[in-house]
Amino acid sequence: MRYLLLCLTLLLAVGTPVSANESEGVDVKEIVLGHLSDAYEWHITTVGGHHISIPLPVIVRSEATGEWHAFCSSRIEEAMEEGKADYMGFYFNEEKNGKIYERLSDGTSVRPWDISITKSVVQIWIVVAIMLAIFLGCASWYKKHDATKDVPKGFVGMVEMLVMTIHDDLIKDSIGEKHYRPYAPYLLTVFFFILITNMLGLLPIFPGGANVTGNINITFFLALCTMLAVNLFGNKEYWKEIFWPDVPAFLKAYPVAIMPIIEFFGIITKPFALMVRLFANMMAGHAIILSFTAIIFIGWSLNAYLGSGLTLLSFVMILFMNCLEFLVAFIQAYVFTMLSAVFIGLAHPEHHHE
């Protein structure tokens, strides 16, 4: 249903006459893709055609000189407003999703080494700060109270309930009583990181609004961590099931080792599924909400009657989608953690003697 709504909203946006969009300055593609992509500034709002943003540090290595440069992203914007083509040879390439490029002396453009502090990086730092505040605050409560006598209430009690639910009912049951302890800290961290990131992404204003888990680079890294946890610490029974599974000999040795090949590809496809599932679900939710928002402005740019009708419809759908996204934010964090725990548990099978 989420993808059906996404397709419908995008079709409505694409089907709108270009002249209407241009007359009112409504660029659906820019609204949707601009939010979904990373940025070198944090856009807050637009007042009277003036964009209010928080510029972020740009840290790049010049391909021409080999030197590192660090400057504020607003320098490039200021240079463009003054009629210059770039700042120190660097500019934002709109054809490449606003990524920073360097213009060389021969007129060609190249992508420099870029370790800039982008919007997604700042959002991750904010999430880390929130997690530290939550868990250090809860730890402080336990230091001051006897956990065997005092029962935590309020926010600390809610956090304890959530932690113990994930720890006991998900991690321990999926991995097993014997092997779950080394992986519990990682899986709990992943769960709360994804959950808080998803929640902040639903806030329309700073410090929320960044589409971190809708960025495939972030989900790739999370999936890579799970892949390493599974394969670096899998026991010999796990690797035996991959390279010499318990199937008839003709399926694993002669004439082609079919099952070992399939099992080996499973090492890659499992984390790939984790990466794509989280990325696609979060990206689709943000795109749907933004598309419905853009439809309001498109309707008013055509006429007042259509604008009024589309505003009411879009408002109802946006409200519904935001409520749904709160649920999806928890579900996606739970599913990613659950599947990671299941894959780790499969890497520690017990040898059964007959």
Side-chain angles (χ1 to χ4, degrees), residues 57-208:
V58 173
I59 307 172
V60 290
R61 179 181 182 274
S62 173
E63 292 294 323
T65 63
E67 299 178 349
W68 286 94
H69 299 274
F71 53 88
C72 189
S73 61
S74 60
R75 294 293 183 88
I76 298 179
E77 299 290 346
E78 293 170 358
M80 295 179 65
E81 290 176 358
E82 295 173 359
K84 299 178 181 179
D86 53 59
Y87 174 77
M88 299 176 62
F90 301 101
Y91 69 100
F92 295 132
N93 192 336
E94 298 301 331
E95 297 179 355
K96 302 293 183 179
N97 296 324
K99 296 296 184 181
I100 193 167
Y101 272 70
E102 181 181 7
R103 187 174 284 109
L104 302 180
S105 58
D106 59 1
T108 60
S109 296
V110 296
R111 181 87 164 95
W113 283 93
D114 185 4
I115 56 171
S116 303
I117 310 301
T118 62
K119 183 178 179 179
S120 293
V121 174
V122 175
Q123 181 75 94
I124 291 173
W125 288 353
I126 293 173
V127 171
V128 171
I130 293 174
M131 291 177 65
L132 287 174
I134 291 174
F135 293 111
L136 289 179
C138 292
S140 176
W141 186 93
Y142 284 102
K143 288 181 179 179
K144 298 177 182 177
H145 298 80
D146 186 353
T148 60
K149 298 179 180 179
D150 299 331
V151 178
K153 299 178 181 179
F155 181 76
V156 177
M158 182 187 70
V159 173
E160 180 187 293
M161 178 192 69
L162 191 56
V163 168
M164 296 311 298
T165 298
I166 300 300
H167 182 273
D168 294 343
D169 298 339
L170 194 155
I171 298 174
K172 185 187 292 186
D173 289 349
S174 299
I175 299 178
E177 182 76 27
K178 187 176 179 181
H179 304 288
Y180 82 93
R181 291 184 182 277
Y183 304 100
Y186 162 69
L187 293 172
L188 284 169
T189 302
V190 167
F191 173 80
F192 282 99
F193 173 79
I194 296 175
L195 178 62
I196 296 174
T197 301
N198 291 347
M199 291 295 186
L200 276 182
L202 296 177
L203 295 178
I205 58 175
F206 181 86

Side-chain angles (χ1 to χ4, degrees), residues 10 27-37 286-287 290-291 294:
L10 290 178
D27 189 341
V28 178
K29 179 180 178 182
E30 177 64 25
I31 291 174
V32 177
L33 297 183
H35 173 80
L36 296 179
S37 60
H286 284 251
L290 289 168
S291 298

